[in-house]
Amino acid sequence: MELLSVVGGSRLVGEVRVTGAKNSVLKLMAAALLAEGTTTLLDVPDILDVEIMAELLRRLGCEVTHDQVGGVVAITVPAILDHRADYDLVRRMRASICVLGPLLARCGAAEVALPGGDNIGSRGLDMHVDGLIKLGARAVNEHGYLIASTEKRLRGESVYLDFPSVGATETILMAAVTADGTTVIDNVAREPEIVDICRMLNEMGARIAGVGSSTLTIEGVEELHPVTHRTVPDRIVAGTWAVAAVITQGDITIHNAKVEHLQIALEKLVIAGAVVTEVEDGFRVVMDQRPKAVDIVTLPYPGFPTDLQPQFIALNAIADGAALVTENLFEARFRFVQELARLGADVRTDGHHALVRGRLALSGAPVEATDIRAGAGLVLAGLVADGTTTVYGVSHIDRGYSGFVPDLVRLGAQITRLEEVG
Ligand code: EPU
């Protein structure tokens, strides 16, 4: 097992480049299944989740090559695909569920292991299933698998989502692009990653209107063709670097990042005392004072992203004042607070609220990352804690952050990756 050893106290200064978004590229890889031939994805991050998705696609019969240095993934999809996603891969990565829609559309059948709960909450699939049933599929839960099938082509319908779920929007969208007739999906997620997949599907020949709005209208087409597509930049990684600049009172220029994808988060950093300026392909975050505490409320896009909540709790832990953090998406995301408390943070939680009282200093200690973003939050806290913080559970961080440690070192952090002995 690997761990990270962080010695706090360095001010982070310099430039970083963000790669394509994990939460987009995994879905783009699944969308490639919709067209026979070779689809090429650019700016793919070198992270564990991409490897898991590549392995899943190989098991379905695709050839997948991944040039880690160049960030290129090429997926060659055969005429006939296998349609079963086994538990051993799905349990390693919940996002495997995103093959459900494309497999059903391409094969008329899909068997995907149920991912179950995970470290950030129970995370249901009811809206995915209801949407597919609306389009004419049968769907049952048998022996731990979600089994969906249809004898004829799926048929266009009106679907309304109770909540703008990212995953359900993607599943129904990918099933609908080759359905017979027009599908209207209301109350869809509007995340930049949804816009990215809609753009790629349209490049592949799909006819999706309303991209970026709450209603998608999809006119089904006979078939799609493979394309080459550049992945949208990772706004959560960019936001993590922005918090790193503020928490360490540093100065970081973040390239390949879009201010418009992080509007509320960056505004919060300005309220905390940072200066944020746009540069040609990104933005620069400069901080020269102890941050002021900032309240946050997580909501679907364009609200404050839940995937930046732990990083902002870390920031509030050393801020001047008290902050109320409200988590509306994943009930168990506050689990990481217990780890932060090991560094001396003063955080009290009650249901989906956390009250963070800023401390002048944190003190280094061993801590365990329980999910990707909790891992990032703990590393950020370690950067400002007195002495050494040892972060266990590094594999979580590797699932979402490519080149995180080398980038931190280049910016001046004292961080090393170590093998756990014994
Ligand atoms: N939900 C249901 N039923 C459904 C679908 C969702 O109850 O059928 C609930 C979930 O339980 C959750 C809420 O709706 O409480 C939001 O879930 P959503 O479907 O929007 O999220 P997701 O698709 O499971 C993606 C990202 C998450 C990110 C969320 C919200 C991927 C692979 N994952 O998850 O990213 O937090 O959207 O933006 O795209 C991460 O990267 O660390 C991460 C967890």
Side-chain angles (χ1 to χ4, degrees):
M1 257 215 328
E2 289 184 318
L3 46 91
L4 296 178
S5 168
V6 192
V7 180
S10 309
R11 187 169 178 257
L12 299 197
V13 178
E15 314 205 359
V16 281
R17 185 186 180 278
V18 172
T19 62
K22 165 182 90 77
N23 288 348
S24 195
V25 82
L26 299 173
K27 326 305 172 60
L28 303 181
M29 290 173 79
L33 291 170
L34 288 163
E36 191 185 334
T38 304
T39 285
T40 306
L41 300 173
L42 309 178
D43 225 352
V44 175
D46 181 14
I47 52 173
L48 198 56
D49 276 10
V50 166
E51 291 313 313
I52 298 172
M53 183 57 84
E55 185 51 33
L56 175 53
L57 296 184
R58 285 188 194 107
R59 297 235 200 127
L60 296 173
C62 303
E63 253 178 54
V64 186
T65 61
H66 185 184
D67 163 9
Q68 270 115 337
V69 181
V72 181
V73 162
I75 303 157
T76 303
V77 180
I80 295 171
L81 282 164
D82 193 357
H83 61 267
R84 187 177 162 94
D86 285 322
Y87 181 62
D88 66 319
L89 285 173
V90 178
R91 66 188 269 273
R92 290 178 66 197
M93 187 184 66
R94 197 193 136 85
S96 311
I97 196 70
C98 66
V99 298
L100 177 65
L103 285 180
L104 183 63
R106 265 301 300 280
C107 313
E111 293 180 20
V112 182
L114 289 165
D118 60 22
N119 290 336
I120 61 171
S122 58
R123 303 176 82 179
L125 290 176
D126 50 327
M127 287 184 271
H128 299 241
V129 172
D130 291 350
L132 296 179
I133 291 174
K134 208 78 201 286
L135 300 187
R138 279 183 307 276
V140 288
N141 172 353
E142 256 177 33
H143 304 297
Y145 279 76
L146 179 59
I147 302 177
S149 62
T150 174
E151 265 138 40
K152 302 181 288 204
R153 257 175 88 185
L154 294 169
R155 50 155 210 274
E157 257 295 350
S158 286
V159 181
Y160 180 87
L161 299 182
D162 288 344
F163 176 89
S165 151
V166 170
T169 301
E170 290 159 345
T171 295
I172 301 164
L173 173 69
M174 287 194 269
V177 282
T178 54
D180 196 9
T182 304
T183 301
V184 179
I185 323 175
D186 234 323
N187 198 27
V188 294
R190 291 183 285 156
E191 270 69 2
E193 296 76 29
I194 298 283
V195 172
D196 198 27
I197 192 171
C198 286
R199 286 203 177 128
M200 177 165 130
L201 290 168
N202 278 344
E203 287 155 17
M204 293 171 82
R207 299 182 68 180
I208 307 165
V211 176
S213 77
S214 293
T215 305
L216 294 175
T217 305
I218 305 139
E219 237 180 87
V221 295
E222 277 294 320
E223 57 175 19
L224 300 185
H225 53 80
V227 288
T228 295
H229 179 87
R230 181 171 294 280
T231 317
V232 70
D234 198 316
R235 65 196 161 97
I236 304 302
V237 172
T240 303
W241 287 124
V243 178
V246 176
I247 204 170
T248 66
Q249 297 186 31
D251 176 353
I252 306 181
T253 301
I254 303 148
H255 296 286
N256 195 35
K258 291 182 190 290
V259 167
E260 65 269 27
H261 290 173
L262 281 164
Q263 213 84 48
I264 297 185
L266 294 179
E267 242 163 65
K268 292 286 176 186
L269 294 180
V270 170
I271 294 168
V275 176
V276 179
T277 42
E278 231 174 313
V279 299
E280 202 193 320
D281 64 341
F283 52 88
R284 178 178 175 193
V285 183
V286 184
M287 185 69 165
D288 61 3
Q289 55 182 295
R290 181 180 176 205
K292 293 181 199 64
V294 282
D295 292 341
I296 59 167
V297 179
T298 69
L299 281 173
Y301 190 85
F304 186 96
T306 175
D307 292 344
L308 283 177
Q309 180 255 92
Q311 298 87 322
F312 270 73
I313 289 197
L315 176 71
N316 279 318
I318 50 99
D320 182 12
L324 186 63
V325 174
T326 306
E327 172 57 59
N328 287 315
L329 279 92
F330 296 120
E331 69 275 12
R333 226 164 196 168
F334 284 147
R335 272 186 204 159
F336 119 101
V337 158
Q338 291 159 10
E339 296 302 307
L340 204 60
R342 297 181 55 74
L343 303 180
D346 180 354
V347 190
R348 283 172 54 186
T349 57
D350 183 4
H352 58 124
H353 299 293
L355 177 65
V356 191
R357 293 191 178 92
R359 284 248 152 103
L360 267 177
L362 298 177
S363 65
V367 288
E368 172 101 35
T370 45
D371 72 79
I372 307 175
R373 312 304 169 189
L378 290 169
V379 170
L380 294 182
L383 288 172
V384 288
D386 188 28
T388 303
T389 297
T390 313
V391 183
Y392 291 83
V394 179
S395 59
H396 287 293
I397 302 175
D398 293 340
R399 287 189 43 206
Y401 289 86
S402 99
F404 196 42
V405 174
D407 279 343
L408 280 165
V409 170
R410 275 193 310 100
L411 293 170
Q414 288 189 64
I415 181 166
T416 28
R417 204 178 173 104
L418 304 167
E419 279 290 331
E420 191 181 6
V421 237

